[in-house]
Amino acid sequence: MSDEIPLFKINPGLDRAALAATFARDRRVQIRNFLTADAAATIHQVLSQQTPWGLAWNDGNSQTDISPADLAKLSPQQRGAMGQAIAQRVRARGYGFSYQRYPMVTAYANNWDPEGPLHLLVEHINDAPLMDLVREVTAMPDLVKADAQATLFGPGQFLGLHHDAHVAEGWRIAYVMNFTQDWHEDWGGYLNFYDDDGDIITGFRPRFNALNMFAVPQRHNVSFVPSWSQVGRYAITGWFRDR
C-alpha cells in the first residue's frame, strides 16, 4: 500500500456536537461519511479485492471459524449441510449466524501479513484520531482500544438476534464500519435494533462510508441477505473497550 494512498483519514467536517447529542439521546448513532472519500474508497478496494475470506458460522451445536483454505475445500454437499443445520437452529428460534470473516486482530497478533493493509487498519482503528472521535461522541473517555474483524455478508447469510452483553470483557461500544456501495433496501443486511416486544426500533442500511456505533447491551441483528442481492455487504466490525 503506497504511502500516497489514504488508508484511514477521519472526515474533518463532522459535526461532533450533533453526533454526541444523538448518541446521548438514543444510545446509538450512524456517522455518515466518517472518513474522507479517498480513504473510504481505498478500504472498499481492500475488502473487495485483497481480503482472504474465511467463514464464521454457528448452528447452535458448534461455533466455528473456517479458514479460507479450508473453506475452499468444502464440497457443495458440505456447504448445503451447514446451511440446513443453521436453518434448523433458527427455525427452532435459536441463535445462529453465517457470514464471511477475516479476523483482523488475530491476524495482527500472529503477524500473518505485517505489511498488508488489513494489518495497518488495526493500527489506525486503535490510533488517536478515531479513538478520540469515539470518546467524544460517546462521552466515554475511558475507552482504550478496539477489536476488529472484516466481514462480508452474501446471499443466505445473517447474524441472529443477540445483545453483546460482555461487560466483563470490557465491551462498551459495538461498531460497524460499512463499505458497501449502492446497497438496495430490498437486499437485507440491515443492522436492526429491537425493543422487548420484538419490534424494530431503528434500522441502519449498509451505507457506504458510515460508522454505526451503539452502547451494549442492546438487542440487534443483521438481517438475512436474500439470493437476489447483487453485491456483498462489506464491513469492519468490533467493539470499543475500556480494558
Side-chain angles (χ1 to χ4, degrees), residues 1 8 28 33 72 74 80 90-91 112 115 126 131 159 176 201-202 204 226 228 240:
M1 181 69 62
F8 201 94
R28 68 185 74 89
N33 299 314
L74 292 178
V90 178
R91 191 178 300 119
W112 290 359
E115 302 302 320
N126 283 274
M131 291 301 299
L159 175 61
V176 180
I201 305 167
T202 301
F204 290 148
W228 54 82
F240 294 108

Side-chain angles (χ1 to χ4, degrees), residues 143-201:
L143 298 175
V144 295
K145 65 180 180 179
D147 296 321
Q149 63 172 347
T151 64
L152 168 58
F153 285 73
Q157 297 185 318
F158 69 101
L159 175 61
L161 185 66
H162 63 293
H163 49 71
D164 283 347
H166 292 259
V167 177
E169 298 179 30
W171 295 8
R172 298 288 300 283
I173 301 294
Y175 74 86
V176 180
M177 301 176 184
N178 283 125
F179 294 102
T180 298
Q181 296 175 328
D182 300 322
W183 189 265
H184 191 272
E185 293 90 335
D186 287 335
W187 296 349
Y190 274 62
L191 174 61
N192 289 323
F193 299 90
Y194 295 80
D195 65 19
D196 291 338
D197 288 330
D199 291 320
I200 294 175
I201 305 167

Side-chain angles (χ1 to χ4, degrees), residues 7-8 102-109 116-128 130-131 145-150 175 177 236 240:
L7 182 60
F8 201 94
Y102 181 82
M104 294 169 61
V105 169
T106 299
Y108 185 91
L118 291 164
H119 185 101
L120 295 176
L121 278 169
V122 173
E123 297 180 352
H124 282 297
I125 291 169
N126 283 274
D127 202 359
L130 179 63
M131 291 301 299
K145 65 180 180 179
D147 296 321
Q149 63 172 347
Y175 74 86
M177 301 176 184
I236 296 174
F240 294 108

